[in-house]
Amino acid sequence: MPERLAEMLLDLWTPLIILWITLPPCIYTAPMNQSQVLMSGSPLELNRLSEEQRILNRSKRGWVWNQMFVLEEFSGPEPILVGRLHTDLDPGSKKIKYILSGDGAGTIFQINDITGDIHAIKRLDREEKAEYTLTAQAVDWETNKPLEPPSEFIIKVQDINDNAPEFLNGPYHATVPEMSILGTSVTNVTATDADDPVYGNSAKLVYSILEGQPYFSIEPETAIIKTALPNMDREAKEEYLVVIQAKDMGGHSGGLSGTTTLTVTLTDVNDNPPKFAQSLYHFSVPEDVVLGTAIGRVKANDQDIGENAQSSYDIIDGDGTALFEITSDTQAQDGIIRLRKPLDFETKKSYTLKVEAANVHIDPRFSSRGPFKDTATVKIVVEDADEPPVFSSPTYLLEVHENAALNSVIGQVTARDPDVTSSPIRFSIDRHTDLERQFNINADDGKITLATPLDRELSVWHNITIIATEIRNHSQISRVPVAIKVLDVNDNAPEFASEYEAFLCENGKPGQVIQTVSAMDKDDPKNGHYFLYSLLPEMVNNPNFTIKKNEDNSLSILAKHNGFNRQKQEVYLLPIIISDSGNPPLSSTSTLTIRVCGCSSDGVVQSCNVEAYVLPIGLSMGALIAILACIILLLVIVVLFVTLRRHKNEPLIIKDDEDVRENIIRYDDEGGGEEDTEAFDIATLQNPDGINGFLPRKDIKPDLQFMPRSQKKSC
């Protein structure tokens, strides 16, 4: 029974206690004196409550000395009483006036200046302004003098649940990898409530999912959204729409709520292998296709996307691995088969390849499912094509001696038609490479013959191009270069390397080398040149000169004695026979001219002319030249003087055009060919003014000749 009685009492008093705690304070229990203003939330008189205030010593929850409270959104027919101002200086004679100032004084809050009652005359919104600071003062009614200093107090607007939760950043979007495990975090959302989070449960939010089960769940207080099903497959469903609700009042009935949407997209992972669309592919290709040409394409499909779908292609087996290759097209995600080496229908007509497609980016989480690759078979059929002739060699090198007889065979080229139905071949020479037509070719058998004589010394190499043409199809042609080397034969005799002229001093010594000469041969023997030198048989015992062969294949001419005299003999001619080492050997005779000169004591040539010794005594060569120059100058002056004099007396300039037509020049001499055309200058008639110029006659030998000066040469 006592336990039952305690339960009944608890049930009876619990609502009263809750009501007492949550209600706003109605009475201020702070002690008052004459210098203070009593601020109360009730219109009761001070005298009737003074004893109760002294008895009640406990403070109610939320009681603050200088605060008043008023509920927001109150909209009764009368202004709501907020509280009352009262002072113990008021004896009730109504001589005290209460004045209110501060936030909203007179516009929102109104005071009865006699009773001190404060009323709210407008509807208040805590979310707009939560509290107001005002100042109260008691003054004498007649004099308006303050009876005590002003006192500041606050009126707080009490919250009610008048705002629903809002998702300010919605709608939301989130991603989560497919095949994620159960409970993988996706995202979190946040709702806001404009109500007071401190007072009551108006702003206490609880989250829930209205739509999106059973795929996702949400934490009621943190709003963290997680996967509720494991291994969701993007290839089955990629996008999910989740509706989320936020409810205030802790989720209890009567609370306000707000909703938002969350779009969850499953991102791709590489959980699918590539798969060829077909297991066997057929392609055909002409045998004359250009290297690198695409033969065909194969494609392995992958349900994944992006880089997870990228596959590389390879040829892993088959009889055409050396002839074909496969490359990956990253844009189209397929494999391109290309030709690496030439095909020949006559050799092999078909090939079989085994190609493989494998994922490039492998996810180790799914490696247990097996290899992420697939294979397919490719059959390639080679088609016959009309191919041009094929020469037996890509180039030909022929050799012929330069003394080969005309129409002799130099060499032969051969070609065949590689097609099954072989066509006869005709050969010809590209005459752009044989402009001088030095060679011919037999059109049927390809034998090259000599058409004109060859000279190795003029040209060692001849490069021509041979053309092979199918008789049945003239568009099928092939070309091959042929290099013809002309071989040397000994057909040129040796001779002096240059025109030598030797000088011998009169005071020379016996055995002195007069001149060293060398020989040259236009031929090109394999072992090089070797020359033999000799004197003519009748001059072997020449009393004046002898020869000496040098080791460098040159020849030295030596004087046998001294005392040569240019007055007796100025020039000596020494014929020398030069023979080569060819087979058969050839020889020629070259003559060396030796001049006797007067030399100084140290061997410097001073004069080689014999006339210097027959001049009058006392005249040197320089004096003779000066005299001759003076004579020539005088003769030129005389000729010019006579010519100008004659032109002055007999002018030949005709300035009248009619006179020109009437003047006829008669020329009765017999014709003299070219000399006759040059005997008279027709330009004189065309330009009469030019007659004063000097125009020499080309058919008349001039009377004066200038003699060249002799130059001294050194031995």
Side-chain angles (χ1 to χ4, degrees):
M1 287 297 292
E3 295 178 355
R4 179 62 179 168
L5 181 60
E7 290 178 0
M8 293 176 63
L9 292 174
L10 183 60
D11 292 339
L12 178 63
W13 285 97
T14 297
L16 296 175
I17 294 172
I18 293 174
L19 179 61
W20 176 62
I21 294 173
T22 57
L23 282 176
C26 298
I27 301 174
Y28 289 88
T29 60
M32 292 187 179
N33 52 38
Q34 294 180 351
S35 62
Q36 290 179 323
V37 178
L38 176 62
M39 288 171 283
S40 132
S42 170
L44 297 178
E45 297 291 341
L46 178 62
N47 294 334
R48 290 184 296 166
L49 297 177
S50 59
E51 292 297 327
E52 294 180 8
Q53 291 172 353
R54 294 189 183 95
I55 296 172
L56 296 175
N57 293 322
R58 67 184 180 185
S59 297
K60 295 182 180 180
R61 183 178 179 185
W63 190 275
V64 181
W65 145 241
N66 58 346
Q67 288 185 353
M68 291 183 183
F69 297 89
V70 60
L71 287 174
E72 67 171 335
E73 304 296 342
F74 182 80
S75 58
E78 297 292 337
I80 181 174
L81 178 63
V82 178
R84 171 179 291 177
L85 300 179
H86 190 75
T87 177
D88 55 358
L89 297 177
D90 186 1
S93 60
K94 299 182 180 180
K95 292 183 178 180
I96 297 177
K97 182 170 63 174
Y98 294 96
I99 300 174
L100 186 65
S101 61
D103 291 343
T107 57
I108 299 176
F109 302 103
Q110 195 175 56
I111 189 171
N112 188 319
D113 54 1
I114 298 175
T115 63
D117 293 337
I118 301 175
H119 292 82
I121 60 177
K122 286 187 178 181
R123 185 175 179 177
L124 300 177
D125 186 359
R126 189 201 67 84
E127 287 71 41
E128 182 179 344
K129 190 172 178 64
E131 61 182 31
Y132 297 85
T133 301
L134 295 101
T135 301
Q137 190 173 20
V139 300
D140 185 88
W141 184 270
E142 295 178 353
T143 63
N144 283 333
K145 291 183 179 181
L147 300 179
E148 59 184 18
S151 180
E152 188 178 87
F153 66 98
I154 296 174
I155 298 178
K156 284 196 172 183
V157 182
Q158 278 189 326
D159 182 56
I160 64 173
N161 190 20
D162 60 341
N163 290 279
E166 293 182 356
F167 292 91
L168 301 179
N169 297 323
Y172 297 89
H173 297 271
T175 60
V176 63
E178 64 171 331
M179 297 297 169
S180 296
I181 62 174
L182 179 67
T184 301
S185 177
V186 179
T187 186
N188 69 317
V189 297
T190 302
T192 59
D193 195 319
D195 293 325
D196 191 353
V198 177
Y199 182 78
N201 294 326
S202 298
K204 185 178 182 181
L205 305 181
V206 175
Y207 298 90
S208 61
I209 291 180
L210 301 181
E211 183 181 338
Q213 295 94 350
Y215 306 105
F216 301 96
S217 63
I218 190 170
E219 292 287 342
E221 281 132 23
T222 61
I224 298 176
I225 301 169
K226 300 180 180 179
T227 57
L229 284 180
N231 301 327
M232 287 189 289
D233 192 0
R234 185 199 65 84
E235 288 72 35
K237 186 176 181 180
E238 184 176 6
E239 195 171 86
Y240 296 84
L241 181 66
V242 182
V243 180
I244 304 168
Q245 181 190 66
K247 191 173 183 180
D248 59 13
M249 297 300 293
H252 293 92
S253 60
L256 302 177
S257 64
T259 59
T260 189
T261 59
L262 168 66
T263 302
V264 181
T265 303
L266 299 182
T267 57
D268 185 64
V269 297
N270 191 12
D271 59 337
N272 294 283
K275 186 70 176 176
F276 278 105
Q278 56 194 77
S279 60
L280 180 62
Y281 293 86
H282 291 275
F283 301 108
S284 60
V285 55
E287 63 174 328
D288 59 350
V289 68
V290 180
L291 297 183
T293 302
I295 306 301
R297 289 174 177 260
V298 297
K299 184 175 180 62
N301 298 316
D302 196 320
Q303 296 181 5
D304 299 319
I305 58 175
E307 67 175 18
N308 295 322
Q310 291 182 2
S311 297
S312 61
Y313 295 85
D314 292 292
I315 299 175
I316 59 175
D317 198 6
D319 55 0
T321 55
L323 277 75
F324 302 94
E325 64 180 357
I326 189 169
T327 57
S328 302
D329 186 346
T330 57
Q331 298 296 327
Q333 294 298 322
D334 56 6
I336 306 173
I337 301 175
R338 300 181 185 274
L339 183 65
R340 292 178 57 191
K341 294 182 178 180
L343 298 174
D344 187 6
F345 172 81
E346 290 72 26
T347 303
K348 189 172 178 62
K349 297 178 174 59
S350 65
Y351 297 89
T352 301
L353 305 175
K354 186 176 182 180
V355 297
E356 178 186 78
N359 275 156
V360 177
H361 305 282
I362 303 298
D363 194 329
R365 294 179 299 172
F366 308 104
S367 58
S368 60
R369 297 186 179 183
F372 278 67
K373 59 181 66 175
D374 193 21
T375 58
T377 302
V378 177
K379 288 189 175 294
I380 301 175
V381 177
V382 181
E383 298 177 346
D384 189 23
D386 191 3
E387 300 175 87
V390 178
F391 282 96
S392 60
S393 175
T395 59
Y396 291 89
L397 174 62
L398 306 179
E399 293 182 344
V400 57
H401 286 88
E402 60 179 325
N403 62 347
L406 296 181
N407 299 321
S408 61
V409 177
I410 299 174
Q412 184 178 14
V413 297
T414 58
R416 64 178 182 86
D417 184 2
D419 298 322
V420 175
T421 57
S422 179
S423 171
I425 305 298
R426 292 189 65 85
F427 299 95
S428 61
I429 296 177
D430 185 352
R431 291 304 176 183
H432 292 91
T433 60
D434 185 24
L435 297 176
E436 298 179 358
R437 295 182 176 269
Q438 292 183 281
F439 306 96
N440 290 325
I441 189 169
N442 189 301
D444 298 323
D445 58 14
K447 291 182 178 179
I448 302 173
T449 57
L450 185 63
T452 61
L454 299 176
D455 188 354
R456 190 205 67 84
E457 286 70 41
L458 295 178
S459 180
V460 179
W461 288 96
H462 298 272
N463 297 298
I464 63 174
T465 299
I466 305 299
I467 303 174
T469 307
E470 291 185 11
I471 295 179
R472 295 176 184 172
N473 186 358
H474 292 173
S475 64
Q476 296 295 335
I477 63 174
S478 296
R479 299 171 182 268
V480 67
V482 177
I484 302 174
K485 183 179 181 180
V486 182
L487 302 178
D488 183 58
V489 296
N490 192 25
D491 58 346
N492 290 279
E495 57 187 8
F496 277 157
S498 62
E499 294 183 3
Y500 294 102
E501 186 177 13
F503 298 93
L504 174 63
C505 290
E506 290 179 312
N507 56 356
K509 299 179 180 179
Q512 181 180 358
V513 176
I514 301 172
Q515 182 71 40
T516 299
V517 299
S518 60
M520 59 162 295
D521 195 329
K522 295 180 180 179
D523 296 321
D524 186 19
K526 294 181 179 180
N527 298 324
H529 289 289
Y530 181 78
F531 300 114
L532 297 175
Y533 300 93
S534 62
L535 298 175
L536 290 177
E538 60 270 19
M539 298 190 68
V540 172
N541 297 322
N542 189 307
N544 299 313
F545 307 102
T546 185
I547 58 176
K548 176 185 176 184
K549 176 69 180 297
N550 300 321
E551 294 182 358
D552 60 354
N553 219 12
S554 63
L555 180 70
S556 295
I557 292 89
L558 295 81
K560 281 188 174 182
H561 59 84
N562 57 1
F564 288 91
N565 191 337
R566 55 179 169 168
Q567 289 183 343
K568 295 182 179 180
Q569 186 171 350
E570 179 188 6
V571 177
Y572 293 88
L573 300 179
L574 183 64
I576 300 175
I577 302 175
I578 309 173
S579 303
D580 59 20
S581 56
N583 187 16
L586 298 179
S587 62
S588 67
T589 301
S590 298
T591 301
L592 176 64
T593 301
I594 304 174
R595 294 184 177 277
V596 180
C597 302
C599 302
S600 62
S601 59
D602 53 359
V604 177
V605 176
Q606 291 182 340
S607 175
C608 294
N609 295 332
V610 67
E611 288 83 359
Y613 293 93
V614 297
L615 292 175
I617 298 175
L619 291 178
S620 64
M621 182 62 68
L624 179 61
I625 293 173
I627 293 172
L628 290 176
C630 291
I631 295 172
I632 292 171
L633 181 60
L634 290 174
L635 289 175
V636 170
I637 292 173
V638 171
V639 170
L640 291 176
F641 177 78
V642 172
T643 302
L644 293 175
R645 183 86 173 175
R646 183 174 53 199
H647 287 173
K648 183 176 180 181
N649 295 331
E650 299 177 1
L652 297 178
I653 299 176
I654 303 174
K655 298 185 178 180
D656 190 356
D657 295 338
E658 297 180 357
D659 295 337
V660 172
R661 288 193 298 268
E662 293 176 357
N663 281 279
I664 298 175
I665 299 175
R666 296 182 181 275
Y667 191 77
D668 295 332
D669 294 343
E670 293 183 0
E674 290 185 16
E675 296 180 356
D676 211 17
T677 61
E678 296 177 354
F680 184 82
D681 191 0
I682 194 65
T684 305
L685 294 178
Q686 297 174 352
N687 185 13
D689 294 336
I691 197 167
N692 291 331
F694 178 73
L695 298 175
R697 295 274 303 268
K698 296 182 179 180
D699 60 329
I700 300 176
K701 188 174 183 181
D703 295 333
L704 299 178
Q705 294 184 355
F706 295 93
M707 298 182 63
R709 294 185 179 182
S710 61
Q711 297 180 355
K712 295 183 179 181
K713 294 186 179 179
S714 175
C715 294

